[in-house]
Amino acid sequence: MKKVLENIIEKNREWSKRGEVASYIPELAKANPNALGICVTTLDGEEYFAGDYDSKFTIQSISKVVTLMLAILDNGTEYVFSKIGMEPTESAFNSIVNLENNKQKKPLNPMINAGAIATVSLISGETAEEKFNRILKFTRKITGNDTIDVNNNVYLCEKATGDRNRALAYFMKGNGIIQGDVEDILDVYFKACSMEVTCRDISRIGALLANAGVLLNNERVISREACRIIKTIMVTCGMYDASGKFAVHIGIPAKSGVGGGIMAAVPRRMGIGVLGPSLDHKGNSIAGIKVLESLSQEFDLSIF
Ligand code: DON
């Protein structure tokens, strides 16, 4: 397996040159565009690594899966999906027009920014600090990594430049989709996006989903049913408006982030974490997608 992963990384490295690192959050522009790494966590507990697997990056939108898990644990699926839809969209992850065009006024799904901000607003806690600390504790638990923390520079930068997210959040408050202090909710969202991880950390999150909610130490943290729903939404919405093509060519539930990470869950088989900060124009790791395509073909991983 290790040899196969190394070959896949080397074969796909050149793809990084065809994309660009995210720059709309200036701190992210500092990432190394040529980094490319992978970790695979199989459900029998083996872990395989290749390339720049130990580089750190911010989790960004992959946190949307983590906050969705926690919001479901706190409120149940029925309540969560009464506030947030489960429909894919052909608009970008930060689209505003989607919120207005949609009759029910609720965000289309939890994988786009509006949906994730609404999801975060449902997480239990008296204060923004308590809510975020619950997210951090939960992330540490499901990754088995107690050292995960916020990259403060990225957090402050997101907060300073996040006006589009502010617009989405205030619009949703005006429509009664979210309650409470909007700046507090955004603060939790920005911090969740700024948690710093490695390929191994996100691979472990993938393994939890692949294992239907049970950690590798046999502890159940979320129900099989919630995992089924989350994996389905990852297939239809996890790669944003590129989810259809990704499903056709790779066929694995996955979630990307603008830090360059892609977390994938192959049901009953493995979790996968990939890093490649150079992005395509839809905000997904350009080489990371190619790595997953090669891996899917090599081991026949498509669920379809
Ligand atoms: O809200 C934002 O713009 C970022 N913190 C997260 C967006 C993101 O990762 C979209 N992913 N491709």
Side-chain angles (χ1 to χ4, degrees), residues 24-25 28 59-62 64 93-94 111 113 158 165 189-190 193-194 240 255-259 279 282-284:
Y24 77 101
I25 302 170
L28 295 183
I59 189 167
Q60 295 297 336
S61 286
I62 300 166
K64 292 173 163 95
F93 63 81
N94 55 5
M111 301 290 132
N113 289 10
E158 293 223 20
N165 287 325
Y189 171 76
F190 293 139
C193 289
S194 305
Y240 306 112
K255 181 75 205 82
S256 63
V258 291
L279 309 178
K282 296 198 170 176
N284 295 317

Coordinates of all heavy atoms in Angstrom, one line a residue, residues 24-25 28 59-62 64 93-94 111 113 158 165 189-190 193-194 240 255-259 279 282-284, ligand 1:
Y24 N -8.3 34.6 -1.0 CA -9.4 35.5 -0.5 C -9.3 35.6 1.0 O -9.8 36.5 1.6 CB -10.8 35.1 -1.0 CG -11.4 33.9 -0.3 CD1 -12.3 34.1 0.7 CD2 -11.0 32.6 -0.5 CE1 -12.9 33.0 1.4 CE2 -11.5 31.5 0.1 CZ -12.5 31.7 1.1 OH -13.0 30.6 1.7
I25 N -8.6 34.6 1.7 CA -8.3 34.8 3.1 C -6.7 34.9 3.0 O -6.0 33.9 2.8 CB -8.7 33.5 3.9 CG1 -10.2 33.3 3.8 CG2 -8.2 33.7 5.4 CD1 -10.7 32.0 4.4
L28 N -4.1 32.3 4.0 CA -4.0 31.1 3.3 C -3.1 31.1 2.1 O -2.6 30.1 1.6 CB -5.4 30.6 2.8 CG -6.4 30.3 3.9 CD1 -7.7 29.8 3.3 CD2 -5.9 29.3 4.9
I59 N -8.2 23.2 8.6 CA -9.3 22.3 8.2 C -10.3 22.9 7.3 O -10.9 22.2 6.5 CB -9.9 21.7 9.5 CG1 -10.8 20.5 9.2 CG2 -10.6 22.7 10.3 CD1 -11.2 19.6 10.4
Q60 N -10.6 24.2 7.5 CA -11.5 24.9 6.7 C -12.9 24.2 6.6 O -13.4 23.8 7.6 CB -11.0 25.3 5.3 CG -9.8 26.3 5.4 CD -10.2 27.6 6.0 OE1 -11.3 28.0 5.9 NE2 -9.2 28.3 6.6
S61 N -13.4 24.0 5.3 CA -14.7 23.5 5.2 C -14.9 22.0 5.6 O -16.0 21.6 5.7 CB -15.2 23.7 3.8 OG -15.5 25.1 3.6
I62 N -13.8 21.3 5.8 CA -13.9 20.0 6.3 C -14.6 20.0 7.7 O -15.2 19.1 8.2 CB -12.6 19.2 6.3 CG1 -12.1 19.2 4.8 CG2 -12.7 17.8 6.8 CD1 -10.6 18.8 4.7
K64 N -17.1 21.5 8.4 CA -18.5 21.5 8.3 C -19.1 20.1 8.6 O -20.2 20.0 9.1 CB -18.9 21.9 6.9 CG -18.6 23.4 6.6 CD -18.8 23.8 5.2 CE -18.9 25.3 4.9 NZ -17.7 26.0 4.6
F93 N -19.7 27.9 -3.0 CA -19.8 27.6 -1.6 C -20.2 28.8 -0.8 O -20.8 28.7 0.3 CB -18.6 26.9 -1.0 CG -17.3 27.8 -1.1 CD1 -17.1 28.7 -0.1 CD2 -16.4 27.6 -2.0 CE1 -15.9 29.5 -0.1 CE2 -15.2 28.3 -2.1 CZ -15.0 29.3 -1.1
N94 N -19.9 30.0 -1.3 CA -20.2 31.2 -0.5 C -21.4 32.0 -1.2 O -21.6 33.2 -0.9 CB -19.0 32.1 -0.4 CG -18.4 32.5 -1.8 OD1 -19.0 32.1 -2.8 ND2 -17.3 33.1 -1.7
M111 N -23.1 21.8 3.8 CA -21.8 21.8 3.3 C -21.4 23.2 2.6 O -20.2 23.4 2.3 CB -21.5 20.7 2.3 CG -21.8 19.3 2.8 SD -20.6 18.8 4.0 CE -21.6 18.2 5.4
N113 N -21.3 27.5 2.9 CA -21.1 28.3 4.1 C -22.3 28.7 4.8 O -22.4 28.6 6.1 CB -20.4 29.6 3.6 CG -18.9 29.4 3.2 OD1 -18.5 28.2 3.1 ND2 -18.2 30.4 3.0
E158 N -9.6 35.4 9.0 CA -10.9 35.1 8.5 C -12.0 36.0 9.1 O -12.9 36.5 8.4 CB -11.3 33.7 9.0 CG -10.5 32.6 8.4 CD -11.3 31.4 7.9 OE1 -12.6 31.5 7.8 OE2 -10.7 30.3 7.8
N165 N -19.5 36.1 4.7 CA -20.1 35.2 5.6 C -21.0 35.9 6.6 O -22.1 35.5 7.0 CB -19.0 34.4 6.4 CG -18.4 33.3 5.6 OD1 -19.0 32.7 4.8 ND2 -17.1 33.1 5.8
Y189 N -17.8 29.8 14.0 CA -17.6 29.2 12.6 C -16.1 29.5 12.2 O -15.5 28.6 11.7 CB -18.6 29.9 11.7 CG -18.3 29.6 10.2 CD1 -18.6 28.3 9.7 CD2 -17.8 30.5 9.4 CE1 -18.4 28.1 8.3 CE2 -17.5 30.3 8.1 CZ -17.8 29.1 7.5 OH -17.6 28.8 6.2
F190 N -15.6 30.8 12.4 CA -14.3 31.1 11.9 C -13.2 30.2 12.7 O -12.3 29.8 12.1 CB -14.0 32.6 12.1 CG -14.8 33.5 11.3 CD1 -15.3 34.7 11.8 CD2 -15.0 33.2 9.9 CE1 -16.1 35.6 11.0 CE2 -15.8 34.1 9.1 CZ -16.3 35.3 9.7
C193 N -13.2 26.7 11.4 CA -12.5 26.6 10.1 C -11.0 26.7 10.2 O -10.2 26.2 9.4 CB -13.0 27.7 9.1 SG -14.6 27.5 8.5
S194 N -10.5 27.4 11.3 CA -9.1 27.6 11.5 C -8.4 26.6 12.3 O -7.2 26.8 12.7 CB -8.9 29.0 12.2 OG -9.6 30.0 11.4
Y240 N -18.9 20.8 -3.3 CA -19.6 21.9 -3.8 C -20.2 21.7 -5.2 O -20.6 20.6 -5.5 CB -18.7 23.2 -3.8 CG -18.1 23.4 -2.5 CD1 -16.7 23.2 -2.3 CD2 -18.9 23.7 -1.4 CE1 -16.2 23.4 -1.0 CE2 -18.4 23.9 -0.1 CZ -17.0 23.7 0.0 OH -16.5 23.9 1.3
K255 N -15.2 15.5 1.4 CA -15.4 16.9 1.8 C -14.1 17.6 1.6 O -13.1 17.2 2.2 CB -15.9 17.0 3.2 CG -16.2 18.5 3.6 CD -17.5 19.0 3.0 CE -17.5 20.5 2.9 NZ -16.8 21.0 1.7
S256 N -14.2 18.8 0.9 CA -13.0 19.5 0.7 C -12.9 20.8 1.5 O -14.0 21.2 2.1 CB -12.9 20.0 -0.8 OG -14.0 20.8 -1.1
G257 N -11.8 21.4 1.6 CA -11.6 22.7 2.3 C -10.7 23.6 1.5 O -9.8 23.0 0.8
V258 N -10.8 24.9 1.6 CA -9.9 25.8 0.9 C -8.4 25.8 1.4 O -7.6 26.4 0.8 CB -10.4 27.2 0.7 CG1 -11.6 27.3 -0.2 CG2 -10.7 27.9 2.1
G259 N -8.2 25.1 2.6 CA -6.8 25.0 3.0 C -6.1 23.9 2.2 O -4.9 23.7 2.3
L279 N -5.5 25.0 -5.5 CA -7.0 24.7 -5.8 C -7.4 25.0 -7.2 O -6.8 25.8 -7.9 CB -7.8 25.6 -4.8 CG -7.5 25.7 -3.4 CD1 -8.4 26.7 -2.6 CD2 -7.6 24.3 -2.7
K282 N -13.1 26.1 -8.4 CA -14.3 25.8 -7.5 C -13.8 25.7 -6.1 O -14.7 25.5 -5.2 CB -15.0 24.6 -8.0 CG -15.6 24.8 -9.4 CD -16.7 23.8 -9.7 CE -17.3 24.3 -11.0 NZ -18.3 23.4 -11.5
G283 N -12.6 25.8 -5.8 CA -12.1 25.8 -4.4 C -11.7 24.4 -3.9 O -11.5 24.2 -2.7
N284 N -11.5 23.5 -4.8 CA -11.1 22.1 -4.4 C -9.7 21.9 -4.8 O -9.2 22.4 -5.8 CB -12.0 21.1 -5.1 CG -13.5 21.2 -4.7 OD1 -13.8 21.3 -3.5 ND2 -14.4 21.0 -5.7
Ligands
DON1 O1 -15.9 30.6 5.2 C1 -14.9 30.5 4.5 O2 -14.8 31.1 3.4 C2 -13.8 29.5 4.9 N1 -13.5 29.6 6.2 C3 -14.1 28.1 4.5 C4 -14.5 27.9 3.1 C5 -14.1 26.6 2.5 O3 -13.2 25.9 3.0 C6 -14.7 26.4 1.3 N2 -14.1 25.3 0.7 N3 -13.7 24.9 -0.3

